[in-house]
Structures are given as C-alpha cells and as structure tokens.
Amino acid sequence: MDQPAPADTASTAWKDAVFAALEAAGVSQVHYVPDAGHATLIARAHAHPRMRAVPLTTEEEGVAACVGAWLGGARAVLLMQSSGVGNCINMLSLVRNCGAPFLTLVTMRGEWAEFNPWQVPMGRATPAVLEAMGVAVQRVERAEDAAETVDAAAALAYGAGSAVAVLFAQRLIGRKVWK
Amino acid sequence: MSATIDTRHNAKVMNRFELTKLLVAKLTDEAVIGGIGNANFDLWAAGRRPENFYMLGSMGLAVPIALGVAIAQPHRTVIALEGDGSLLMQLGCLATVAARAPRNLVIVVWDNGIYQITGGQKTPAAAARTDLVAIARASGIVESHWAADEAEFEALAARALGAPGPWFIAARIDDKPAVTQTERDPVRIRDAFMRGIGSRS
C-alpha cells in the first residue's frame, strides 16, 4: 500500500485514553450517532462488559436518553459530530430545566482542512449554539490534552451537575476522507 | 388479536383519560414517562405517582427518555406514554428501541390524528392514513398492537407488564381535551421521580 493510513485511524492512543477517562468516570451508557473520529470509542463501548452502547437515528434521541439515564441513576455520554449539535438545540431545554448533568463529546467538522462546504456553517456555529443553550464548551486541540479534558469535563458534569461539551478539533481528528 | 382487526381503521375510537385510568390501575412500581401534551395531562389527572415523570419539553422525547431509564434500571418496567403527533417527530426512535430491544420497555401511543393542543389541526399521518403500529412492527418491534377496544387495551397492558418487550401499544382516541393540566416545575418533578424510582434518596 503506497497510500498512508487515513488520518482518523492513524493513532488511537489518545482515543483509548479518552475511553479510559469515561470508564473511570463511571459512564455506563454510551449513546451515539457515528462519526469516524468516534469509531474507536464506539467499538470500545460495544466491547465493554459494563457499558451499554446505543446507536441512535438522530442526536436528539441521545440528549433525551442521557437525561433518562441520569433519572434512572446511571451516567451517560453522547457521542456526535458537530453537525449533530444543530439537531439537539431544542432538546437541550430538557437538560437545563431538569438541572441534569450532561456530557457530550463532539468531533468537529467545517474547520481544519475541511473539503465539504456543507459542513462549514454548523461547524462554525457549534460553540455558540451550545453556549446559548447553557452548555459549557471545552475544546481539545492536542492529543495529549484529550483524556485530561474529558476527565475534567466528566467531573464538571457528574460532580457539579453541569452540561458540558468537549469539542475535538478537526485538526486533532485528522484530515477528513470519505472512504 | 387477529390480524384482521389489527389495523388503525378497525380500532374503536376510545377516550384517553378512561384508558389512562385503566393503565394506571394496573401499575405497581413501574416508571412512566409522560410525553408533552394531553397524554401528560391525563396521566397527571389519573393520579399522581412518584414513579411518573411528567415531561413537558420537546415533542417526541418520551420514548428516548424511557429508553435511558430502562437501560439504567433493567429490573423495572418503564412505560413511555406518547401522542401520535409527538411520535411522528421522532419515528427513528422505534428503530433505536428495536435495535437495543430492552425487555422492560413499553410504548403506549394515543392516536387521535390531530395536534389537539394547538387547535386540533390534522396530522399529515391522519391525512395519509399512516398506521403507526405498522411502522412500529416494520421498525422491528415485534410486539406492536392496536387495541381494538377497552377490553383489549387492558389485556395488552396486562401482557406488556408481565412479558418481555419491547412493546408498542396504540389506541385510537377521541378529540376530547384532557381533564386537567400538569404542574410545570421541572426540578420538583424530576426530584420526585428520582426518589420515586430509587435513584436518589
């Protein structure tokens, strides 16, 4: 093979560390709409004996299911792409009204080396709309910061009862390729 | 539950409050997630229970919330009460439920074909004669049924509370508004619910 491995699968070490942070935080439900940047986390969650990984048809379901998990006494995380954040806006009222902890990990599109113009508007708006709905935004640019940021975000969410989004920069995920 | 009667147009048009009372009378420790609107109001009117969560947020969220609760508490039956208009906003959740296949989840849908709370406008599904039970069954929820009348609704509810699901039970209802309205204090409602199902002491 002359071609290099796709950037989004070239390194999984930091993704494994992020998964370990979720595991250490006691997350038992992983709701997700797939993104290539989340592929490692999704696979790990499905393989984990004490986690339930739930593929969704839309990110909106995930916001509600994460609140349901908390109501039932469990900790959940929502994995999605920045475009999915736009789908969630109205649902985030539920999080805010109930004072529910909420943790979402968002892989960014529409920024670093984006080739698809359709991804750009929502990618640009992602931090602003999250903040407008009361979600704290923490951005990860470097692989070595990823796990620590997720660990801190989980503490803020489950400990302080906050809504927190961790945005993984597109530069970190790697140049997007369609396979 | 013969195949000949199990379609929308063969089901009797019943009353939501009467059916809600029949359902609530069968409950012991089950959690109930009431979706926004008249489904919620009639659940409130049928008798307050600490195991009820009165959700007045976005349309279509009762089933996904119930799924999260059902996974968190696999030994407790969790019921999502939803209106037809709300379910139409989030039909994909039926595939999500079918894929996860929680044995302890029951979805109950009241179908009057209208957006009652906004003035009774017809849903597109009513105009198109969309059959929600057929959609649920085609989504992979095997135990999907229309309640032909009150007696069958009671029988289906009893089966759903005793046998592994997921279940999808739909009933055609009239256009009578709910008999009262739910209190709207989300923090109080969620706190009572969490204590009611033992996730907070």
Side-chain angles (χ1 to χ4, degrees):
Chain A
M1 291 283 289
D2 294 334
Q3 292 187 341
D8 56 9
T9 57
S11 168
T12 61
W14 69 268
K15 295 170 184 171
D16 285 332
V18 166
F19 184 77
L22 293 176
E23 187 182 25
V27 171
S28 61
Q29 295 188 25
V30 179
H31 298 268
Y32 67 90
V33 174
D35 185 44
H38 284 314
T40 301
L41 288 183
I42 291 167
R44 297 278 185 278
H46 273 286
H48 196 284
R50 289 185 307 280
M51 287 192 186
R52 295 292 173 266
V54 184
L56 307 168
T57 65
T58 168
E59 296 81 1
E60 297 155 70
E61 289 182 70
V63 176
C66 285
V67 172
W70 171 67
L71 289 171
R75 293 180 174 185
V77 66
L78 172 60
L79 310 180
M80 60 180 160
Q81 189 186 80
S82 52
S83 49
V85 170
N87 295 345
C88 293
I89 298 171
N90 189 35
M91 313 299 146
L92 291 167
S93 304
L94 178 70
V95 173
R96 193 159 181 175
N97 268 340
C98 289
F102 177 67
L103 177 63
T104 182
L105 308 185
V106 179
T107 47
M108 291 303 297
R109 292 290 307 272
E111 42 181 54
W112 179 263
E114 178 63 62
F115 71 98
N116 184 355
W118 302 92
Q119 287 285 352
V120 174
M122 192 61 235
R124 288 227 180 113
T126 289
V129 299
L130 285 167
E131 284 166 355
M133 289 305 293
V135 180
V137 173
Q138 301 182 346
R139 190 175 162 89
V140 177
E141 297 279 355
R142 303 185 310 162
E144 55 266 39
D145 296 334
E148 186 183 12
T149 305
V150 170
D151 175 65
L156 182 59
Y158 308 126
S162 298
V164 191
V166 177
L167 309 186
F168 293 127
Q170 194 166 4
R171 186 175 187 179
L172 169 68
I173 301 298
R175 199 178 279 257
K176 183 74 180 182
V177 288
W178 273 346
K179 286 171 272 188
Chain B
M1 265 141 287
S2 69
T4 53
I5 202 162
D6 206 11
T7 60
R8 184 179 191 275
H9 72 275
N10 281 335
K12 178 184 172 187
V13 176
M14 295 175 274
N15 178 262
R16 183 183 48 242
F17 183 51
E18 297 304 319
L19 293 179
T20 305
K21 284 190 289 187
L22 291 177
L23 176 66
V24 170
K26 294 188 180 307
L27 301 181
T28 54
D29 67 343
E30 295 84 355
V32 184
I33 312 298
I36 182 174
N38 285 282
N40 202 311
F41 301 162
D42 275 339
L43 177 66
W44 179 267
R48 258 141 279 174
R49 303 170 64 245
E51 301 91 348
N52 290 357
F53 183 66
Y54 304 95
M55 202 284 296
L56 292 172
S58 312
M59 292 173 72
L61 293 193
V63 174
I65 293 172
L67 178 64
V69 176
I71 297 171
Q73 298 203 1
H75 300 297
R76 184 189 302 274
T77 296
V78 183
I79 302 167
L81 273 190
E82 191 67 289
D84 54 333
S86 279
L87 182 66
L88 287 167
M89 284 230 183
Q90 208 61 259
L91 277 179
C93 75
L94 299 175
T96 303
V97 165
R100 182 74 240 163
R103 297 161 58 92
N104 57 329
L105 182 64
V106 181
I107 301 167
V108 175
V109 174
W110 309 131
D111 183 358
N112 57 7
I114 58 174
Y115 298 106
Q116 185 168 31
I117 211 164
T118 57
Q121 303 89 347
K122 267 191 178 181
T123 68
R129 296 171 63 85
T130 305
D131 188 314
L132 294 175
V133 167
I135 291 175
R137 194 176 293 131
S139 298
I141 301 176
V142 176
E143 293 285 7
S144 295
H145 307 279
W146 282 106
D149 53 25
E150 287 85 352
E152 199 191 23
F153 177 78
E154 284 207 272
L156 285 167
R159 284 177 61 203
L161 295 177
W167 288 80
F168 183 99
I169 300 169
R172 287 190 74 185
I173 55 158
D174 59 34
D175 60 358
K176 288 199 176 59
V179 298
T180 186
Q181 289 203 3
T182 310
E183 277 180 16
R184 291 187 284 271
D185 182 344
V187 171
R188 189 171 143 187
I189 285 168
R190 62 91 162 148
D191 189 67
F193 179 69
M194 292 176 82
R195 293 176 197 281
I197 63 169
S199 48
R200 176 168 288 185
S201 55

mmCIF file of all heavy atoms in Angstrom, chain B residues 5-43:
data_model
loop_
_atom_site.group_PDB
_atom_site.id
_atom_site.type_symbol
_atom_site.label_atom_id
_atom_site.label_comp_id
_atom_site.label_asym_id
_atom_site.label_seq_id
_atom_site.Cartn_x
_atom_site.Cartn_y
_atom_site.Cartn_z
ATOM 1 N N ILE B 5 -58.182 -7.559 12.566
ATOM 2 C CA ILE B 5 -58.634 -6.363 13.282
ATOM 3 C C ILE B 5 -57.472 -5.440 13.633
ATOM 4 O O ILE B 5 -57.671 -4.297 14.019
ATOM 5 C CB ILE B 5 -59.398 -6.772 14.567
ATOM 6 C CG1 ILE B 5 -60.313 -5.614 15.012
ATOM 7 C CG2 ILE B 5 -58.446 -7.194 15.678
ATOM 8 C CD1 ILE B 5 -61.392 -6.037 15.956
ATOM 9 N N ASP B 6 -56.245 -5.920 13.463
ATOM 10 C CA ASP B 6 -55.093 -5.182 13.982
ATOM 11 C C ASP B 6 -54.606 -4.114 13.007
ATOM 12 O O ASP B 6 -53.454 -4.075 12.638
ATOM 13 C CB ASP B 6 -53.969 -6.146 14.343
ATOM 14 C CG ASP B 6 -53.075 -5.547 15.411
ATOM 15 O OD1 ASP B 6 -53.449 -4.517 15.990
ATOM 16 O OD2 ASP B 6 -52.000 -6.102 15.648
ATOM 17 N N THR B 7 -55.528 -3.262 12.581
ATOM 18 C CA THR B 7 -55.148 -2.102 11.772
ATOM 19 C C THR B 7 -55.822 -0.886 12.361
ATOM 20 O O THR B 7 -56.777 -0.997 13.128
ATOM 21 C CB THR B 7 -55.587 -2.257 10.308
ATOM 22 O OG1 THR B 7 -57.010 -2.385 10.284
ATOM 23 C CG2 THR B 7 -54.954 -3.472 9.657
ATOM 24 N N ARG B 8 -55.321 0.283 11.991
ATOM 25 C CA ARG B 8 -55.827 1.504 12.620
ATOM 26 C C ARG B 8 -57.322 1.685 12.396
ATOM 27 O O ARG B 8 -58.064 2.005 13.317
ATOM 28 C CB ARG B 8 -55.070 2.716 12.067
ATOM 29 C CG ARG B 8 -55.463 4.013 12.742
ATOM 30 C CD ARG B 8 -54.680 5.190 12.193
ATOM 31 N NE ARG B 8 -54.880 6.381 13.027
ATOM 32 C CZ ARG B 8 -55.897 7.219 12.882
ATOM 33 N NH1 ARG B 8 -56.820 6.984 11.970
ATOM 34 N NH2 ARG B 8 -56.011 8.274 13.666
ATOM 35 N N HIS B 9 -57.765 1.462 11.163
ATOM 36 C CA HIS B 9 -59.151 1.827 10.873
ATOM 37 C C HIS B 9 -60.155 0.874 11.508
ATOM 38 O O HIS B 9 -61.335 1.184 11.597
ATOM 39 C CB HIS B 9 -59.371 1.936 9.351
ATOM 40 C CG HIS B 9 -59.387 0.625 8.639
ATOM 41 N ND1 HIS B 9 -58.230 0.004 8.224
ATOM 42 C CD2 HIS B 9 -60.402 -0.186 8.287
ATOM 43 C CE1 HIS B 9 -58.547 -1.135 7.637
ATOM 44 N NE2 HIS B 9 -59.850 -1.267 7.657
ATOM 45 N N ASN B 10 -59.696 -0.284 11.968
ATOM 46 C CA ASN B 10 -60.599 -1.218 12.638
ATOM 47 C C ASN B 10 -60.686 -0.987 14.143
ATOM 48 O O ASN B 10 -61.518 -1.591 14.816
ATOM 49 C CB ASN B 10 -60.146 -2.662 12.401
ATOM 50 C CG ASN B 10 -60.568 -3.153 11.030
ATOM 51 O OD1 ASN B 10 -61.529 -2.650 10.460
ATOM 52 N ND2 ASN B 10 -59.840 -4.111 10.501
ATOM 53 N N ALA B 11 -59.816 -0.154 14.664
ATOM 54 C CA ALA B 11 -59.793 0.039 16.115
ATOM 55 C C ALA B 11 -60.888 1.022 16.532
ATOM 56 O O ALA B 11 -61.142 2.016 15.860
ATOM 57 C CB ALA B 11 -58.422 0.552 16.544
ATOM 58 N N LYS B 12 -61.485 0.732 17.658
ATOM 59 C CA LYS B 12 -62.528 1.604 18.209
ATOM 60 C C LYS B 12 -61.913 2.928 18.669
ATOM 61 O O LYS B 12 -60.798 2.951 19.196
ATOM 62 C CB LYS B 12 -63.192 0.892 19.395
ATOM 63 C CG LYS B 12 -64.264 1.692 20.098
ATOM 64 C CD LYS B 12 -64.789 0.926 21.321
ATOM 65 C CE LYS B 12 -65.719 1.818 22.146
ATOM 66 N NZ LYS B 12 -66.099 1.149 23.418
ATOM 67 N N VAL B 13 -62.643 4.009 18.471
ATOM 68 C CA VAL B 13 -62.203 5.300 18.990
ATOM 69 C C VAL B 13 -62.614 5.395 20.452
ATOM 70 O O VAL B 13 -63.803 5.325 20.775
ATOM 71 C CB VAL B 13 -62.807 6.467 18.182
ATOM 72 C CG1 VAL B 13 -62.418 7.804 18.811
ATOM 73 C CG2 VAL B 13 -62.324 6.400 16.731
ATOM 74 N N MET B 14 -61.595 5.523 21.324
ATOM 75 C CA MET B 14 -61.841 5.486 22.770
ATOM 76 C C MET B 14 -61.494 6.843 23.384
ATOM 77 O O MET B 14 -61.310 7.828 22.673
ATOM 78 C CB MET B 14 -61.020 4.339 23.376
ATOM 79 C CG MET B 14 -61.477 2.976 22.861
ATOM 80 S SD MET B 14 -60.467 1.596 23.435
ATOM 81 C CE MET B 14 -59.150 1.558 22.219
ATOM 82 N N ASN B 15 -61.448 6.871 24.714
ATOM 83 C CA ASN B 15 -61.138 8.131 25.402
ATOM 84 C C ASN B 15 -59.827 7.987 26.182
ATOM 85 O O ASN B 15 -59.655 7.043 26.942
ATOM 86 C CB ASN B 15 -62.279 8.523 26.352
ATOM 87 C CG ASN B 15 -61.967 9.798 27.111
ATOM 88 O OD1 ASN B 15 -61.528 9.751 28.252
ATOM 89 N ND2 ASN B 15 -62.159 10.941 26.473
ATOM 90 N N ARG B 16 -58.948 8.956 25.983
ATOM 91 C CA ARG B 16 -57.597 8.872 26.560
ATOM 92 C C ARG B 16 -57.613 8.824 28.084
ATOM 93 O O ARG B 16 -56.886 8.041 28.692
ATOM 94 C CB ARG B 16 -56.779 10.072 26.066
ATOM 95 C CG ARG B 16 -55.322 10.099 26.519
ATOM 96 C CD ARG B 16 -54.637 11.360 26.033
ATOM 97 N NE ARG B 16 -55.472 12.499 26.333
ATOM 98 C CZ ARG B 16 -55.993 13.314 25.426
ATOM 99 N NH1 ARG B 16 -55.708 13.172 24.165
ATOM 100 N NH2 ARG B 16 -56.791 14.303 25.784
ATOM 101 N N PHE B 17 -58.440 9.655 28.706
ATOM 102 C CA PHE B 17 -58.455 9.670 30.170
ATOM 103 C C PHE B 17 -58.952 8.334 30.721
ATOM 104 O O PHE B 17 -58.395 7.809 31.688
ATOM 105 C CB PHE B 17 -59.318 10.828 30.678
ATOM 106 C CG PHE B 17 -59.320 10.964 32.173
ATOM 107 C CD1 PHE B 17 -58.135 11.000 32.901
ATOM 108 C CD2 PHE B 17 -60.520 11.055 32.870
ATOM 109 C CE1 PHE B 17 -58.145 11.120 34.280
ATOM 110 C CE2 PHE B 17 -60.526 11.176 34.255
ATOM 111 C CZ PHE B 17 -59.347 11.211 34.967
ATOM 112 N N GLU B 18 -59.989 7.782 30.066
ATOM 113 C CA GLU B 18 -60.510 6.490 30.525
ATOM 114 C C GLU B 18 -59.441 5.400 30.383
ATOM 115 O O GLU B 18 -59.247 4.567 31.273
ATOM 116 C CB GLU B 18 -61.772 6.102 29.741
ATOM 117 C CG GLU B 18 -62.936 7.065 29.936
ATOM 118 C CD GLU B 18 -63.316 7.237 31.401
ATOM 119 O OE1 GLU B 18 -63.330 6.228 32.132
ATOM 120 O OE2 GLU B 18 -63.569 8.389 31.821
ATOM 121 N N LEU B 19 -58.727 5.404 29.258
ATOM 122 C CA LEU B 19 -57.675 4.397 29.041
ATOM 123 C C LEU B 19 -56.500 4.615 29.997
ATOM 124 O O LEU B 19 -55.910 3.652 30.504
ATOM 125 C CB LEU B 19 -57.183 4.442 27.593
ATOM 126 C CG LEU B 19 -58.185 4.015 26.514
ATOM 127 C CD1 LEU B 19 -57.547 4.138 25.135
ATOM 128 C CD2 LEU B 19 -58.680 2.592 26.742
ATOM 129 N N THR B 20 -56.169 5.884 30.227
ATOM 130 C CA THR B 20 -55.061 6.169 31.148
ATOM 131 C C THR B 20 -55.385 5.633 32.534
ATOM 132 O O THR B 20 -54.523 5.051 33.210
ATOM 133 C CB THR B 20 -54.787 7.685 31.206
ATOM 134 O OG1 THR B 20 -54.558 8.171 29.881
ATOM 135 C CG2 THR B 20 -53.557 7.987 32.053
ATOM 136 N N LYS B 21 -56.632 5.813 32.961
ATOM 137 C CA LYS B 21 -57.034 5.291 34.274
ATOM 138 C C LYS B 21 -56.935 3.758 34.307
ATOM 139 O O LYS B 21 -56.483 3.193 35.308
ATOM 140 C CB LYS B 21 -58.456 5.744 34.612
ATOM 141 C CG LYS B 21 -58.527 7.215 35.044
ATOM 142 C CD LYS B 21 -59.891 7.579 35.595
ATOM 143 C CE LYS B 21 -60.946 7.619 34.502
ATOM 144 N NZ LYS B 21 -62.249 8.137 34.984
ATOM 145 N N LEU B 22 -57.346 3.118 33.224
ATOM 146 C CA LEU B 22 -57.241 1.648 33.166
ATOM 147 C C LEU B 22 -55.781 1.204 33.290
ATOM 148 O O LEU B 22 -55.469 0.220 33.970
ATOM 149 C CB LEU B 22 -57.827 1.122 31.852
ATOM 150 C CG LEU B 22 -59.346 1.236 31.669
ATOM 151 C CD1 LEU B 22 -59.742 0.740 30.274
ATOM 152 C CD2 LEU B 22 -60.085 0.445 32.743
ATOM 153 N N LEU B 23 -54.880 1.944 32.613
ATOM 154 C CA LEU B 23 -53.456 1.598 32.653
ATOM 155 C C LEU B 23 -52.889 1.825 34.054
ATOM 156 O O LEU B 23 -52.232 0.939 34.625
ATOM 157 C CB LEU B 23 -52.687 2.438 31.622
ATOM 158 C CG LEU B 23 -51.169 2.253 31.609
ATOM 159 C CD1 LEU B 23 -50.798 0.835 31.170
ATOM 160 C CD2 LEU B 23 -50.496 3.281 30.693
ATOM 161 N N VAL B 24 -53.137 2.992 34.600
ATOM 162 C CA VAL B 24 -52.554 3.344 35.907
ATOM 163 C C VAL B 24 -53.035 2.373 36.984
ATOM 164 O O VAL B 24 -52.282 2.032 37.911
ATOM 165 C CB VAL B 24 -52.880 4.815 36.258
ATOM 166 C CG1 VAL B 24 -52.505 5.132 37.707
ATOM 167 C CG2 VAL B 24 -52.139 5.766 35.312
ATOM 168 N N ALA B 25 -54.271 1.901 36.853
ATOM 169 C CA ALA B 25 -54.820 0.975 37.853
ATOM 170 C C ALA B 25 -54.035 -0.333 37.907
ATOM 171 O O ALA B 25 -54.064 -1.041 38.913
ATOM 172 C CB ALA B 25 -56.284 0.694 37.554
ATOM 173 N N LYS B 26 -53.333 -0.660 36.835
ATOM 174 C CA LYS B 26 -52.577 -1.918 36.792
ATOM 175 C C LYS B 26 -51.157 -1.774 37.341
ATOM 176 O O LYS B 26 -50.440 -2.771 37.458
ATOM 177 C CB LYS B 26 -52.465 -2.412 35.334
ATOM 178 C CG LYS B 26 -53.787 -2.806 34.725
ATOM 179 C CD LYS B 26 -53.568 -3.448 33.374
ATOM 180 C CE LYS B 26 -54.897 -3.834 32.753
ATOM 181 N NZ LYS B 26 -55.733 -4.666 33.645
ATOM 182 N N LEU B 27 -50.724 -0.549 37.632
ATOM 183 C CA LEU B 27 -49.312 -0.325 37.921
ATOM 184 C C LEU B 27 -48.974 -0.572 39.379
ATOM 185 O O LEU B 27 -49.790 -0.342 40.279
ATOM 186 C CB LEU B 27 -48.923 1.111 37.538
ATOM 187 C CG LEU B 27 -49.155 1.481 36.074
ATOM 188 C CD1 LEU B 27 -48.715 2.926 35.822
ATOM 189 C CD2 LEU B 27 -48.423 0.525 35.138
ATOM 190 N N THR B 28 -47.747 -1.033 39.593
ATOM 191 C CA THR B 28 -47.210 -1.140 40.944
ATOM 192 C C THR B 28 -45.970 -0.245 41.051
ATOM 193 O O THR B 28 -46.089 0.906 41.452
ATOM 194 C CB THR B 28 -46.881 -2.606 41.297
ATOM 195 O OG1 THR B 28 -46.019 -3.158 40.292
ATOM 196 C CG2 THR B 28 -48.154 -3.429 41.374
ATOM 197 N N ASP B 29 -44.814 -0.757 40.641
ATOM 198 C CA ASP B 29 -43.593 0.053 40.760
ATOM 199 C C ASP B 29 -43.049 0.508 39.405
ATOM 200 O O ASP B 29 -41.925 0.983 39.303
ATOM 201 C CB ASP B 29 -42.522 -0.727 41.520
ATOM 202 C CG ASP B 29 -42.036 -1.944 40.746
ATOM 203 O OD1 ASP B 29 -42.734 -2.355 39.792
ATOM 204 O OD2 ASP B 29 -40.977 -2.481 41.093
ATOM 205 N N GLU B 30 -43.857 0.382 38.346
ATOM 206 C CA GLU B 30 -43.376 0.749 37.013
ATOM 207 C C GLU B 30 -43.132 2.256 36.913
ATOM 208 O O GLU B 30 -43.878 3.053 37.487
ATOM 209 C CB GLU B 30 -44.399 0.344 35.946
ATOM 210 C CG GLU B 30 -44.614 -1.155 35.826
ATOM 211 C CD GLU B 30 -45.614 -1.714 36.840
ATOM 212 O OE1 GLU B 30 -46.076 -0.949 37.709
ATOM 213 O OE2 GLU B 30 -45.939 -2.906 36.738
ATOM 214 N N ALA B 31 -42.103 2.635 36.166
ATOM 215 C CA ALA B 31 -41.865 4.043 35.867
ATOM 216 C C ALA B 31 -42.668 4.422 34.623
ATOM 217 O O ALA B 31 -42.786 3.621 33.690
ATOM 218 C CB ALA B 31 -40.376 4.296 35.622
ATOM 219 N N VAL B 32 -43.234 5.625 34.634
ATOM 220 C CA VAL B 32 -43.986 6.107 33.475
ATOM 221 C C VAL B 32 -43.426 7.461 33.056
ATOM 222 O O VAL B 32 -43.313 8.373 33.884
ATOM 223 C CB VAL B 32 -45.494 6.255 33.782
ATOM 224 C CG1 VAL B 32 -46.249 6.675 32.508
ATOM 225 C CG2 VAL B 32 -46.074 4.967 34.341
ATOM 226 N N ILE B 33 -43.064 7.572 31.776
ATOM 227 C CA ILE B 33 -42.603 8.843 31.225
ATOM 228 C C ILE B 33 -43.741 9.409 30.384
ATOM 229 O O ILE B 33 -44.088 8.850 29.338
ATOM 230 C CB ILE B 33 -41.355 8.667 30.334
ATOM 231 C CG1 ILE B 33 -40.288 7.803 31.031
ATOM 232 C CG2 ILE B 33 -40.800 10.027 29.912
ATOM 233 C CD1 ILE B 33 -39.744 8.354 32.307
ATOM 234 N N GLY B 34 -44.336 10.496 30.851
ATOM 235 C CA GLY B 34 -45.443 11.113 30.118
ATOM 236 C C GLY B 34 -44.913 12.136 29.130
ATOM 237 O O GLY B 34 -44.238 13.085 29.516
ATOM 238 N N GLY B 35 -45.213 11.949 27.855
ATOM 239 C CA GLY B 35 -44.794 12.898 26.828
ATOM 240 C C GLY B 35 -45.602 14.175 26.902
ATOM 241 O O GLY B 35 -46.665 14.234 27.531
ATOM 242 N N ILE B 36 -45.119 15.205 26.225
ATOM 243 C CA ILE B 36 -45.739 16.526 26.286
ATOM 244 C C ILE B 36 -47.178 16.491 25.772
ATOM 245 O O ILE B 36 -47.492 15.761 24.846
ATOM 246 C CB ILE B 36 -44.915 17.564 25.484
ATOM 247 C CG1 ILE B 36 -45.543 18.950 25.600
ATOM 248 C CG2 ILE B 36 -44.758 17.145 24.036
ATOM 249 C CD1 ILE B 36 -44.715 20.041 24.958
ATOM 250 N N GLY B 37 -48.029 17.295 26.413
ATOM 251 C CA GLY B 37 -49.379 17.498 25.902
ATOM 252 C C GLY B 37 -50.428 16.761 26.686
ATOM 253 O O GLY B 37 -50.265 16.473 27.880
ATOM 254 N N ASN B 38 -51.503 16.441 25.995
ATOM 255 C CA ASN B 38 -52.653 15.873 26.689
ATOM 256 C C ASN B 38 -52.377 14.487 27.264
ATOM 257 O O ASN B 38 -52.997 14.095 28.253
ATOM 258 C CB ASN B 38 -53.849 15.834 25.747
ATOM 259 C CG ASN B 38 -54.437 17.229 25.554
ATOM 260 O OD1 ASN B 38 -55.149 17.730 26.405
ATOM 261 N ND2 ASN B 38 -54.099 17.859 24.443
ATOM 262 N N ALA B 39 -51.451 13.754 26.677
ATOM 263 C CA ALA B 39 -51.063 12.461 27.251
ATOM 264 C C ALA B 39 -50.549 12.669 28.674
ATOM 265 O O ALA B 39 -50.869 11.915 29.599
ATOM 266 C CB ALA B 39 -49.986 11.804 26.387
ATOM 267 N N ASN B 40 -49.760 13.725 28.823
ATOM 268 C CA ASN B 40 -49.187 14.070 30.119
ATOM 269 C C ASN B 40 -50.274 14.531 31.086
ATOM 270 O O ASN B 40 -50.315 14.097 32.245
ATOM 271 C CB ASN B 40 -48.168 15.189 29.890
ATOM 272 C CG ASN B 40 -47.142 15.281 30.987
ATOM 273 O OD1 ASN B 40 -47.494 15.285 32.153
ATOM 274 N ND2 ASN B 40 -45.884 15.352 30.614
ATOM 275 N N PHE B 41 -51.163 15.399 30.601
ATOM 276 C CA PHE B 41 -52.198 15.956 31.484
ATOM 277 C C PHE B 41 -53.097 14.848 32.034
ATOM 278 O O PHE B 41 -53.462 14.855 33.213
ATOM 279 C CB PHE B 41 -53.047 16.981 30.716
ATOM 280 C CG PHE B 41 -52.263 18.132 30.149
ATOM 281 C CD1 PHE B 41 -52.802 18.910 29.133
ATOM 282 C CD2 PHE B 41 -50.996 18.459 30.614
ATOM 283 C CE1 PHE B 41 -52.100 19.980 28.599
ATOM 284 C CE2 PHE B 41 -50.281 19.527 30.086
ATOM 285 C CZ PHE B 41 -50.837 20.294 29.071
ATOM 286 N N ASP B 42 -53.478 13.920 31.176
ATOM 287 C CA ASP B 42 -54.358 12.850 31.644
ATOM 288 C C ASP B 42 -53.624 11.877 32.569
ATOM 289 O O ASP B 42 -54.238 11.294 33.468
ATOM 290 C CB ASP B 42 -54.983 12.103 30.463
ATOM 291 C CG ASP B 42 -56.246 12.803 29.958
ATOM 292 O OD1 ASP B 42 -56.849 13.583 30.732
ATOM 293 O OD2 ASP B 42 -56.638 12.575 28.800
ATOM 294 N N LEU B 43 -52.316 11.723 32.365
ATOM 295 C CA LEU B 43 -51.534 10.907 33.313
ATOM 296 C C LEU B 43 -51.543 11.571 34.687
ATOM 297 O O LEU B 43 -51.701 10.912 35.719
ATOM 298 C CB LEU B 43 -50.103 10.746 32.802
ATOM 299 C CG LEU B 43 -49.154 9.975 33.732
ATOM 300 C CD1 LEU B 43 -49.574 8.516 33.868
ATOM 301 C CD2 LEU B 43 -47.700 10.067 33.237
#
